[in-house]
Amino acid sequence: MADLPVKIGQQYEAEIVGISHDGEGVGRVNGFTLFVAGALPGERTLVRVEHLKKQYGYAGLVEVMEVSPDRIVPECTIYDECGGCQLQHLSYEAQLRAKRQQVVDNLQRIGKLQVAGEARIGRVSTTAISENSAPDFDETNMDEGVIVHPTLGMTDPWRYRNKAQVPFGEERGGLIGGFYAQGSHRIIDMDECLIQHESNDEVVARVKEIGARLGIRAYDEELNAGLLRHVVVKVGFRTGDIMVVLVTNGNVIPRVDEWVAGIREALPGVKSICHNINVKQTNVIFGDETRVLWGSEVIYDYIGDVKFAISARSFFQVNPVQTEVLYGKALEYAALTGGETVVDAYCGIGTISLFLAQKAGQVYGVEIVEEAIADARKNADLNGMTNVHFEAGPAEDVLPEWTRQGVRPDVVVVDPPRKGCDPALLATILELRPQRVVYVSCSASTLARDLRALVDGGYGVAEVTPVDMFPHTVHIESVVLLVRDETVEKNPYVY
Ligand code: SAH
């Protein structure tokens, strides 16, 4: 690496030109890229090179010589130690701008898509498109590029999480519960997490007190000994229901009745106290067996008007306020009038399926995890919805099967995991040629890759809306509307 323009251990002045997908500043020194944790775009910095690869390196921030106007003092006192948030040193407005920019960069670099200039943002209204029940693909939009709207953020971007998973440990003989120090498995005690719902903080604090009073020993990861591993708390934002799950290394909780009585007395909002047993030496939180110690097996919450049952282990979106915003956008882009057939690929517990079923003729949801499909079916029953059909299996296999059975979707919604859609699924979508494809994405890079495939197959990207589901972290979700390009020859399958 002798020919690289920078050397390990040396200090350099670096201009910070962007923000990486891990939240580090992207610095340039003599044309070479250095990732600098804690540095912000627009800043002039002094950095020390710590680690080098052929194409780029990592450097520590020594001094900020020119400070970004967007730099703020993080609200959280343990921000640097924790690592759960990555962007608290950037004002919230600037976080939203940076997230939109990440999406734009990915669409351009990976998707090779033209993005409309700032001037056009907001000029084309989505309602104008969605009011048109048989939308023609507007080619003028394409000519000028894809519209990427401003990120939809939270009015109050704090206290948004409905689930806390808190590791427990011991320090000088006392019970502690908090978080793993950044990049390690050392537990640091914590009383308050500013992105958690207040009641989750309260529950963790009380459970810690009760555990200490009862002399409960915490699990020790290295020795694989001790009892209490994690306390998981869930709260329904709309209902106020609270669930507490004690995850233990072993079947028996000593003085369990006193635990239950203590929790019920200190926390009257608690509707469910569960015990999950995990005796494996692993960093996976839950074991296979869950028992109800007291109360109900599930708690309830709502996304919009749809009610969901949440069990100890079932998946539920962690930011219910923004989930409603995200799925509201998906619903708007789906432009349903009541009779449409909709496919929700990667449907999880059916959140989007049920949300769309309120306005669709028939919804088909597919998801690879069997338990999630069982939850989806229960949730459909809970809401008395009969126009939804769920099936467990890989979307790339189930969708062709549905096609053979005669299912012809007007709208296909995909909400894949970070690795994006399976190429076979994209191929099936292109064969089916639904009028609209709504792509909900948690990874801008795989989104850009998949959009390119859909565009090459005869779809136009009408618009993109980033939604901030996880303020102060680097995560970005986006909803994209793709519309069938009528100039591309129709598929014999359809109509
Ligand atoms: N919209 C869902 C969440 C989707 S997350 C909800 O709100 O619940 C992505 C989902 O894709 C996960 O549930 C994951 O289990 C599922 N998945 C991953 N690979 C899949 C595949 N090949 N076919 C179908 N589902 C898959």
Side-chain angles (χ1 to χ4, degrees):
M1 301 216 189
D3 51 346
L4 294 182
V6 295
K7 287 193 175 63
I8 287 182
Q10 299 272 30
Q11 294 194 5
Y12 300 90
E13 246 184 71
E15 297 290 338
I16 307 300
V17 295
I19 208 157
S20 78
H21 61 263
D22 291 329
E24 298 144 328
V26 180
R28 291 264 193 272
V29 177
N30 305 326
F32 191 77
T33 299
L34 288 173
F35 294 107
V36 187
L40 290 174
E43 293 188 330
R44 208 157 54 79
T45 59
L46 187 65
V47 304
R48 183 183 294 111
V49 178
E50 287 164 351
H51 192 64
L52 282 175
K53 304 245 182 188
K54 271 194 197 127
Q55 311 279 350
Y56 57 89
Y58 294 90
L61 185 59
V62 178
E63 192 191 329
V64 182
M65 294 142 83
E66 232 170 83
V67 179
S68 162
D70 298 321
R71 181 179 281 281
I72 57 166
V73 178
E75 288 280 322
C76 173
T77 51
I78 48 174
Y79 173 59
D80 290 335
E81 276 179 293
C82 169
C85 297
Q86 301 82 34
L87 297 177
Q88 277 199 27
H89 57 301
L90 186 60
S91 75
Y92 189 55
E93 283 306 309
Q95 288 181 26
L96 297 178
R97 273 185 272 121
K99 290 186 182 192
R100 176 184 177 275
Q101 194 56 46
Q102 285 269 352
V103 174
V104 168
D105 291 348
N106 278 284
L107 294 183
Q108 290 175 331
R109 282 188 207 143
I110 298 172
K112 306 280 181 251
L113 292 161
Q114 192 189 335
V115 174
E118 301 268 344
R120 290 193 67 237
I121 298 164
R123 235 181 59 195
V124 176
S125 89
T126 55
T127 42
I129 295 173
S130 51
E131 271 163 17
N132 183 349
S133 57
D136 291 325
F137 180 65
D138 180 359
E139 279 182 66
T140 53
N141 282 359
M142 272 288 276
D143 290 346
E144 294 181 53
V146 176
I147 296 162
V148 182
H149 291 282
T151 309
L152 296 178
M154 299 189 79
T155 319
D156 175 12
W158 300 101
R159 300 288 187 188
Y160 59 82
R161 282 187 65 101
N162 59 11
K163 180 177 79 170
Q165 307 186 124
V166 179
F168 270 66
E170 288 176 18
E171 201 173 65
R172 285 177 240 108
L175 198 61
I176 58 168
F179 61 93
Y180 294 117
Q182 210 178 139
S184 89
H185 265 205
R186 187 167 57 88
I187 295 165
I188 298 181
D189 200 33
M190 175 178 68
D191 298 323
E192 187 180 54
C193 172
L194 299 179
I195 62 172
Q196 280 295 348
H197 192 289
E198 279 95 344
S199 94
N200 288 353
D201 276 352
E202 159 94 13
V203 172
V204 173
R206 295 289 90 78
V207 169
K208 210 184 290 181
E209 281 167 15
I210 297 165
R213 197 174 69 222
L214 297 177
I216 295 295
R217 298 298 306 264
Y219 177 66
D220 184 312
E221 209 175 272
E222 272 167 38
L223 302 176
N224 195 25
L227 187 69
L228 186 60
R229 297 175 72 126
H230 273 86
V231 173
V232 177
V233 188
K234 300 185 179 191
V235 59
F237 270 46
R238 192 87 67 82
T239 57
D241 289 359
I242 297 169
M243 170 183 278
V244 182
V245 190
L246 305 173
V247 184
T248 64
N249 172 46
N251 278 321
V252 181
I253 303 179
R255 303 169 73 181
V256 67
D257 294 341
E258 286 172 76
W259 261 104
V260 169
I263 293 172
R264 287 183 58 195
E265 193 188 334
L267 302 156
V270 171
K271 294 273 185 325
S272 166
I273 305 175
C274 294
H275 176 201
N276 176 273
I277 297 145
N278 185 2
V279 292
K280 293 195 189 127
Q281 203 161 7
T282 165
N283 52 19
V284 175
I285 293 177
F286 285 117
D288 293 334
E289 194 185 338
T290 308
R291 301 170 188 160
V292 178
L293 293 178
W294 176 84
S296 157
E297 193 185 345
V298 293
I299 58 166
Y300 296 99
D301 202 13
Y302 288 83
I303 304 290
D305 293 331
V306 187
K307 190 175 185 181
F308 292 90
I310 304 160
S311 66
R313 292 191 56 189
S314 70
F315 171 83
F316 190 64
Q317 291 279 354
V318 297
N319 181 339
V321 173
Q322 288 299 87
T323 299
E324 196 166 335
V325 172
L326 185 77
Y327 294 173
K329 229 349 140 188
L331 183 62
E332 178 187 323
Y333 283 174
L336 302 174
T337 58
E340 290 83 358
T341 298
V342 180
V343 164
D344 179 12
Y346 307 95
C347 73
I349 60 160
T351 331
I352 297 180
S353 313
L354 299 180
F355 208 72
L356 299 187
Q358 303 174 99
K359 301 272 167 63
Q362 186 73 36
V363 179
Y364 293 83
V366 51
E367 155 65 46
I368 206 161
V369 176
E370 302 254 358
E371 295 84 2
I373 286 295
D375 283 343
R377 288 185 179 133
K378 276 187 216 151
N379 287 326
D381 287 347
L382 188 63
N383 291 280
M385 290 185 183
T386 51
N387 61 337
V388 280
H389 170 81
F390 290 111
E391 203 157 311
E396 58 276 19
D397 296 345
V398 172
L399 194 52
E401 181 51 40
W402 283 341
T403 307
R404 276 190 287 280
Q405 292 168 12
V407 176
R408 297 286 178 268
D410 303 291
V411 182
V412 172
V413 179
V414 296
D415 182 8
R418 295 186 65 78
K419 68 172 192 236
C421 290
D422 190 283
L425 179 78
L426 295 175
T428 307
I429 293 173
L430 292 177
E431 271 175 36
L432 280 167
R433 294 189 60 68
Q435 210 162 60
R436 287 169 178 250
V437 175
V438 179
Y439 194 132
V440 180
S441 160
C442 59
S443 160
S445 59
T446 58
L447 169 69
R449 180 200 68 199
D450 292 348
L451 290 185
R452 170 45 56 195
L454 291 168
V455 166
D456 289 345
Y459 277 81
V461 179
E463 50 182 293
V464 179
T465 302
V467 178
D468 192 23
M469 299 284 282
F470 307 102
H472 313 297
T473 79
V474 288
H475 302 288
I476 316 166
E477 298 262 338
S478 321
V479 197
V480 182
L481 169 61
L482 294 115
V483 182
R484 182 173 72 200
D485 185 346
E486 299 297 351
T487 59
V488 175
E489 208 178 309
K490 274 193 181 167
N491 182 281
Y493 268 134
V494 184
Y495 315 118

